[in-house]
Amino acid sequence: MQLHSAPNLRDLGGLAAGGERIVRPGAIYRSATLARLAGTDLDAFAGLGITTVYDLRTAGERATEPDSLPAGVRTVGLDVLADSTEDVAASVGQLVTDPAALAATLGDGRATALMEESYRNIVSLPSALSAYRAFYLDLIDPTRTGAALFHCTTGKDRTGWAAASLLLLLGVDEDDVRADYLQTNSDLLPALRPIIDAAAAKGVDTSLLMPVLGVSGEYLAAAIDEATSRFGDVDGYAQKGLGLTDSDLNALRQRFVGLPS
């Protein structure tokens, strides 16, 4: 579903999850910020049956641009990067206002290295482990009803790892997980054109922006490598890093995986 005021929103349902099973359609969604959700988009969003929204942004991001949601939707704030002193995934909005700072931060090929470091932080920071643990435990809470959605600001990094780790834990093939992750480039970048144009108007070399406005297979690979080097693999990340039990993971699969209707 493409919503003008809520870019990068999509249903994770329908992906093959081993054998004849698939991720259940209409059960779990991802998106970019919902701060500008309005008009007919708000009505369309309400029609999805989403009753819980997990907001992975920092406390500052949430305070500056709170979500605009239909009445009755529960919001759970999960600050993935609370323990990060400076993270490019959360600060590009500020960087584009200062061309000199942008060049100093992202120039000379540093952008990709910074993004890979950001993804490693998203996997292993204490605040990230705490946030994603809370995310998974709330997803499987038997008292939670309705569909769920998770998002950050651009819906690509903190959200990208939430989607990738969830899909991998549900048994989705890594190639399909990567394809969903990279779909953000086609779904999100057109919506970011105003940011790119504003930066160009300030004299910014916008080629410096592209590594931080889009996604790359290298970033996801860095996250998976971090999970593997610290915890053995993604299942180890869930169990050793997030403290999820076999029972928790079984509940996750039972809730979000099923046979095609």
Side-chain angles (χ1 to χ4, degrees):
M1 171 178 289
Q2 295 295 319
L3 300 182
H4 178 72
S5 60
N8 209 20
L9 190 157
R10 60 185 178 272
D11 186 352
L12 293 178
L15 291 171
E20 297 181 356
R21 297 165 70 80
I22 63 169
V23 179
R24 296 184 193 278
I28 184 80
Y29 296 82
R30 58 177 290 178
S31 78
T33 178
L34 300 175
R36 290 174 286 281
L37 190 64
T40 58
D41 284 354
L42 190 65
D43 295 334
F45 184 93
L48 297 176
I50 294 167
T51 58
T52 305
V53 167
Y54 302 96
D55 189 336
L56 306 177
R57 297 178 297 168
T58 65
E61 288 173 295
R62 296 198 305 271
T64 301
E65 290 197 308
D67 282 344
S68 174
L69 298 170
V73 176
R74 180 174 67 105
T75 300
V76 180
L78 301 170
D79 191 340
V80 171
L81 296 175
D83 292 335
S84 178
T85 55
E86 184 175 352
D87 193 285
V88 69
S91 60
V92 69
Q94 290 73 40
L95 286 173
V96 298
T97 65
D98 189 337
L102 180 73
T105 303
L106 302 179
D108 299 325
R110 287 188 290 271
T112 296
L114 285 168
M115 288 303 299
E116 290 179 0
E117 179 184 1
S118 176
Y119 272 70
R120 293 184 183 277
N121 286 339
I122 286 168
V123 171
S124 58
L125 280 175
S127 58
L129 293 171
S130 176
Y132 288 119
R133 170 179 166 79
F135 167 66
Y136 279 110
L137 290 179
D138 200 87
L139 277 180
I140 62 173
D141 186 335
T143 67
R144 187 186 66 78
T145 59
L149 177 145
F150 54 93
H151 78 89
C152 52
T153 296
T154 53
K156 68 184 188 70
D157 303 318
R158 290 162 285 186
T159 296
W161 176 243
S165 61
L166 172 62
L167 293 173
L168 288 169
L169 291 172
L170 294 179
V172 176
D173 181 80
E174 189 170 322
D175 286 343
D176 290 336
V177 172
R178 187 180 299 106
D180 171 78
Y181 171 78
L182 293 174
Q183 186 178 331
T184 286
N185 284 331
S186 57
D187 287 358
L188 176 67
L189 286 177
L192 296 181
R193 176 51 57 184
I195 292 176
I196 298 169
D197 291 344
K202 292 178 179 293
V204 174
D205 177 359
T206 56
S207 68
L208 298 175
L209 276 176
M210 301 318 294
V212 299
L213 292 182
V215 294
S216 165
E218 295 172 276
Y219 307 161
L220 181 58
I224 293 174
D225 179 72
E226 184 76 2
T228 300
S229 62
R230 286 183 176 267
F231 307 111
D233 55 18
V234 174
D235 278 342
Y237 160 77
Q239 295 179 307
K240 300 172 189 175
L242 304 184
L244 302 181
T245 65
D246 287 340
S247 177
D248 292 333
L249 294 175
N250 286 334
L252 188 73
R253 292 163 188 143
Q254 288 172 6
R255 184 143 191 173
F256 292 104
V257 176
L259 294 172
S261 57

